[in-house]
Amino acid sequence: MHLLIVEDDARLVRLLKRLLSQDRHVVETASTAADALEIAGSTVELDAIILDIGLPDRSGFEVARRLRHDGCQVPILMLTARDAVSDRVEGLDAGADDYLVKPFAYDELLARLRALARRPPTRRAARLAAGPIALDEAKRRVTVDGTSVDLSQREFSILECLLRRPGQVLTRDQLLDYAWPYGVALTPNTVEAYIHLLRDKLGAAADRVETVRGVGYRLRDD
Ligand code: CA
């Protein structure tokens, strides 16, 4: 297998690299989220990514989300030091396929990697939520306080983009790139028009979609 290990614990990386290489796996390593994204983005033939949660620059969750958002389908095995249910759930929601609690036995790591490699690649669908708003990607369904809301494809995409980065300000250009990925020539005014429609349909939850003057929009998540 061709593997990428993303881990900032140099000792663990050395050990894993040595063991995996002995077992004839090809191993790339990254000690930061930035390196991980660069290597994953430029290596086409990766079979699996072993991803630590605690990285010096960004969390493993963010790395997984970014990779999935960018269309990366490589199976991700997340390493967590804590056996907290919330970590596992967040990891799986972020796009990880499996997780392993540290410290782990090398044989178990191998078994998990083999299982991941056997799985057919799937388009991963997320369930996203903020306050009363919930979005189910697989079913392409949005609800506010449990009541279904009928959104057009673009409205759905814009809401999905905002929900993927709750609390973060997204520029009109970022929303354009996400909702119209094929480079259709549109102006940022188009985004404004769609945000207007989206707010209308979100009803009581409309104020969750906040305008950040001169910059873009933000989904309030509390
Ligand atoms: Ca770490």
Side-chain angles (χ1 to χ4, degrees):
M1 280 194 269
H2 192 163
L3 304 167
L4 168 62
I5 303 175
V6 186
E7 167 63 77
D8 61 329
D9 178 344
R11 236 178 37 160
L12 179 58
V13 172
R14 269 202 306 278
L15 175 68
L16 285 179
K17 191 170 179 177
R18 183 164 57 77
L19 292 169
L20 288 164
S21 302
Q22 279 170 6
D23 283 337
R24 298 175 177 275
H25 299 291
V26 179
V27 180
E28 316 280 344
T29 62
S31 58
T32 64
D35 283 355
L37 291 172
E38 193 177 321
I39 294 171
S42 60
T43 314
V44 283
E45 70 279 30
L46 280 176
D47 295 304
I49 299 171
I50 301 165
L51 179 60
D52 185 35
I53 293 177
L55 296 168
D57 46 351
R58 282 196 267 171
S59 77
F61 300 128
E62 286 175 81
V63 174
R65 267 185 222 112
R66 182 76 235 173
L67 288 171
R68 294 307 183 224
H69 176 261
D70 292 347
C72 172
Q73 302 280 313
V74 179
I76 296 175
L77 176 65
M78 207 153 233
L79 299 181
T80 161
R82 301 152 285 179
D83 185 15
V85 172
S86 61
D87 274 0
R88 293 183 313 214
V89 170
E90 186 172 359
L92 295 173
D93 276 353
D97 298 85
D98 199 2
Y99 64 90
L100 196 53
V101 179
K102 288 197 227 173
F104 52 84
Y106 176 65
D107 285 345
E108 186 177 4
L109 174 72
L110 280 186
R112 302 266 181 146
L113 289 173
R114 279 196 298 268
L116 285 183
R118 278 197 299 267
R119 271 192 214 175
T122 47
R123 164 94 175 83
R124 286 163 189 82
R127 297 248 275 274
L128 307 166
I133 306 171
L135 180 149
D136 185 327
E137 236 184 20
K139 295 180 181 156
R140 298 205 64 83
R141 190 175 120 97
V142 171
T143 56
V144 174
D145 274 329
T147 304
S148 206
V149 177
D150 191 22
L151 298 183
S152 72
Q153 192 193 325
R154 300 308 182 197
E155 292 157 3
F156 185 94
S157 292
I158 287 175
L159 181 63
E160 183 183 19
C161 186
L162 289 165
L163 278 167
R164 281 184 177 275
R165 295 175 187 73
Q168 281 184 39
V169 182
L170 296 172
T171 65
R172 290 173 181 80
D173 283 338
Q174 283 175 310
L175 291 165
L176 266 182
D177 286 347
Y178 192 92
W180 285 267
Y182 302 111
V184 190
L186 294 166
T187 69
N189 286 341
T190 314
V191 175
E192 271 171 52
Y194 274 93
I195 290 277
H196 187 78
L197 293 168
L198 182 60
R199 282 198 182 118
D200 260 6
K201 293 189 179 176
L202 291 176
D207 64 341
R208 291 265 165 185
V209 181
E210 298 177 332
T211 303
V212 182
R213 284 190 60 160
V215 189
Y217 300 93
R218 172 175 56 208
L219 192 93
R220 185 164 52 82
D221 183 26
D222 45 30

